[in-house]
Amino acid sequence: MTTIFGRRARLLGTALGTLTLLSACAVGPDYERPSAAVPSAYKEGGVTPVAFAPPPVPRDDGWRPATPGQAEAGPWWTVFDDPVLDGLMRRVEVDNQSLKAAEAAYRQAKALSDQARSSFFPILSVSGGADRAGTVGSGNRSTSGTGISRSGTPVTTYDAGLGASWAPDLWGRIRRSVESNDANLQASAADLAAARLSAQAQLATAYVQFRVADERKALLERAIAAYRQSLEIARNRHAVGTATLADVFTAETQVRSTESQLVALGVQRAQFEHAMAVLVGQAPAAFALAPAPLTAAVPAIPPGVPSALLERRPDIAAAERQMAQANAQIGIAESAWYPDVVLSGSLTNSATILPKLLQAPTALWAVGAQVAQTLFDGGTRTAEVELRRAVFDQSVAQYRQTVLTAFQEVEDQLAAQRILAQQAAVQDDAVRLAREAERLTLNQYRAGTLPYSSVLTAQTAALSDEESALSVRQSRLLAAVSLLQALGGTPPSF
């Protein structure tokens, strides 16, 4: 007896060892991250400050692996030094509904990853039941069937069973599935980071535009006050006969026209306020910000080395993980060429007395294995493998395009910052000259040496130049927000 059990144990050990060796194989290509074209420096970036230099580049070609979640965006908006904006950003993190949806998508991906990993383990099941059976009528029927006594008295029968099944991962299908779902989980984490960065950038953009509307409102109010003084001068000169009634009407028209611009500005301000309300997860009716001056200065943002962008941008990280997922899907498709093996076992017993259910010598056991292999499918498996290879090639092209687009966005905003800074210097000079021309023209009109049309021209030009200067400042601040977003959220300590 001992010898028989010993032989069985050796055979079982040999079988399990063989399965273990087979399980060490995984069909399909192992993932190697494809390269992407990365410049050694930004065309528009100038010299990168040493303080912002990232860790040394591990490869001679300047390319760094994009590891999802390796680089944190940080509170990049603090470079604008605005406490109100800081408070709004904290509310985005908690209450933004698009961000909540992205977080729920991440949890879905995590559940799918856990579900795929559970396929490594066997399935155990237990069953039990009770049946009561007897004959119909009062006769003394004799039967030899289980569950009914020969006297016809009903009998209760109890049964219990234990079952197990396991599909060993001989060809790596489960491992490739886990690999695919893990990559999808990492891509979902990158998507969540991208959604967070996008919501923050949208809020910062709306906030800047909102504050610029407040600045434009203050600018128009100052212009209206100056125009009313000019109107008063025109009225006084008309009263003493040194100006025509046309001067009065022209001055009053200028006042009313500028007041109309001030009223129309309320539409834009309200829309920016409503946009911020939605971004912080509130109904516009329950959200309001008091008018305040635009105190944010245009920050100097060093872009760093281009290779760091592959780690900083969440969309690049997501695209890279999607390549890994597509690569694993090739292995899953190729595993269909190999047979499926399922090992199973069961132990069942029945008794008429419950305490003897686990003691009865009539217990039945069974072990077995099933092997299934598709012999002909009309080319379905071949087509599936080709499909998955094509999907992988597509994901590689999309990854490289995402990288190129990221560099384009950074270069665009670096160029915008450089050119807008030059424009701001020229425009500020134009504002200074326009204000001086307005002052001199108004003084000459008081002295009666110039007509009011000259005053109107000078004041209109001064207001136009001041509005242009404010627009340039807005463009520079928005370019700074866009650059920070394009860099993946630069930390404030650069």
Side-chain angles (χ1 to χ4, degrees):
M1 181 71 67
T2 304
T3 303
I4 294 175
F5 281 114
R7 289 175 180 173
R8 290 179 177 177
R10 285 195 297 274
L11 288 173
L12 180 59
T14 301
L16 291 176
T18 303
L19 291 175
T20 300
L21 290 175
L22 289 173
S23 298
C25 303
V27 297
D30 291 330
Y31 176 66
E32 294 183 4
R33 187 178 298 112
S35 63
V38 178
S40 58
Y42 290 111
K43 175 182 177 181
E44 303 286 349
V47 180
T48 302
V50 178
F52 185 67
V57 178
R59 288 172 43 155
D60 294 337
D61 59 4
W63 183 77
R64 296 181 58 152
T67 303
Q70 181 173 343
E72 295 293 336
W76 54 267
W77 58 88
T78 57
V79 298
F80 297 106
D81 193 23
D82 192 312
V84 177
L85 181 60
D86 292 345
L88 292 174
M89 286 296 183
R90 288 192 292 270
R91 294 172 65 179
V92 166
E93 185 72 24
V94 175
D95 297 323
N96 183 271
Q97 297 305 306
S98 296
L99 203 55
K100 287 181 180 292
E103 190 273 335
Y106 170 77
R107 288 189 283 110
Q108 293 174 34
K110 187 177 186 306
L112 289 173
S113 179
D114 294 340
Q115 186 181 57
R117 189 168 276 101
S118 68
S119 299
F120 281 123
F121 303 96
I123 297 175
L124 301 178
S125 61
V126 64
S127 62
D131 293 319
R132 185 170 179 79
T135 59
V136 179
S138 58
N140 234 355
R141 254 177 226 181
S142 176
T143 178
S144 59
T146 304
I148 304 175
S149 68
R150 293 183 177 275
S151 62
T153 303
V155 175
T156 300
T157 303
Y158 302 95
D159 62 81
L162 180 66
S165 64
W166 178 49
D169 189 26
L170 300 181
W171 322 117
R173 179 184 62 82
I174 297 176
R175 270 166 294 164
R176 294 302 188 195
S177 296
V178 171
E179 183 181 323
S180 174
N181 281 277
D182 284 349
N184 180 61
L185 174 61
Q186 293 171 327
S188 182
D191 289 339
L192 176 58
R196 180 182 295 108
L197 180 60
S198 176
Q200 291 168 346
Q202 289 179 49
L203 177 62
T205 298
Y207 183 79
V208 167
Q209 292 171 320
F210 179 80
R211 288 305 182 207
V212 167
D214 283 345
E215 284 289 318
R216 184 167 282 111
K217 179 175 180 291
L219 174 61
L220 291 176
E221 288 173 344
R222 290 195 300 270
I224 291 171
Y227 296 165
R228 285 175 176 166
Q229 289 180 355
S230 299
L231 173 60
E232 187 64 25
I233 294 173
R235 284 173 175 169
N236 293 337
R237 295 191 68 228
H238 176 260
V240 297
T242 58
T244 66
L245 187 60
D247 289 351
V248 176
F249 286 153
T250 300
E252 190 166 2
T253 300
Q254 186 180 30
V255 172
R256 300 301 290 174
S257 176
T258 309
E259 287 175 343
S260 176
Q261 295 179 43
L262 180 61
V263 174
L265 184 62
V267 176
Q268 293 182 358
R269 187 183 188 277
Q271 290 174 344
F272 295 140
E273 190 174 54
H274 300 164
M276 288 188 290
V278 173
L279 287 168
V280 299
Q282 276 196 292
F287 180 88
L289 286 182
L294 179 63
T295 59
V298 179
I301 305 170
V305 296
S307 58
L309 193 65
L310 300 184
E311 292 182 350
R312 300 212 59 85
R313 290 273 296 226
D315 57 339
I316 294 179
E320 189 274 333
R321 289 290 82 197
Q322 287 165 1
M323 285 192 300
Q325 181 185 17
N327 183 81
Q329 290 291 325
I330 297 175
I332 296 173
E334 290 185 357
S335 69
W337 287 102
Y338 300 90
D340 294 328
V341 178
V342 178
L343 306 179
S344 61
S346 64
L347 178 65
T348 60
N349 195 13
S350 61
T352 57
I353 301 176
L354 188 60
K356 293 184 178 181
L357 185 61
L358 302 177
Q359 302 175 3
T362 57
L364 298 177
W365 61 269
V367 294
Q370 291 181 341
V371 179
Q373 172 64 45
T374 302
L375 298 179
F376 178 76
D377 61 6
T380 299
R381 288 171 293 177
T382 301
E384 181 67 19
V385 172
E386 291 301 318
L387 170 64
R388 294 306 168 186
R389 290 187 181 278
V391 170
F392 175 75
D393 292 341
Q394 180 185 29
S395 68
V396 172
Q398 291 173 337
Y399 167 72
R400 288 171 174 161
Q401 182 61 40
T402 301
V403 172
L404 290 174
T405 301
F407 286 126
Q408 177 193 354
E409 292 174 353
V410 173
E411 296 282 13
D412 286 348
Q413 300 309 321
L414 287 174
Q417 285 219 314
R418 175 177 57 81
I419 295 170
L420 288 171
Q422 298 172 359
Q423 183 183 2
V426 175
Q427 189 62 44
D428 288 344
D429 197 38
V431 169
R432 180 183 60 79
L433 294 173
R435 286 174 177 170
E436 182 66 14
E438 178 186 11
R439 184 184 67 81
L440 293 174
T441 303
L442 187 59
N443 288 339
Q444 290 179 343
Y445 175 70
R446 283 195 183 99
T449 59
L450 284 178
Y452 188 79
S453 59
S454 298
V455 175
L456 176 63
T457 300
Q459 289 181 329
T460 302
L463 177 60
S464 177
D465 283 329
E466 288 183 345
E467 287 186 318
S468 296
L470 183 58
S471 295
V472 171
R473 185 182 178 192
Q474 172 181 286
S475 297
R476 294 185 68 192
L477 288 170
L478 294 181
V481 173
S482 297
L483 178 57
L484 288 165
Q485 183 181 11
L487 291 172
T490 304
S493 58
F494 46 73

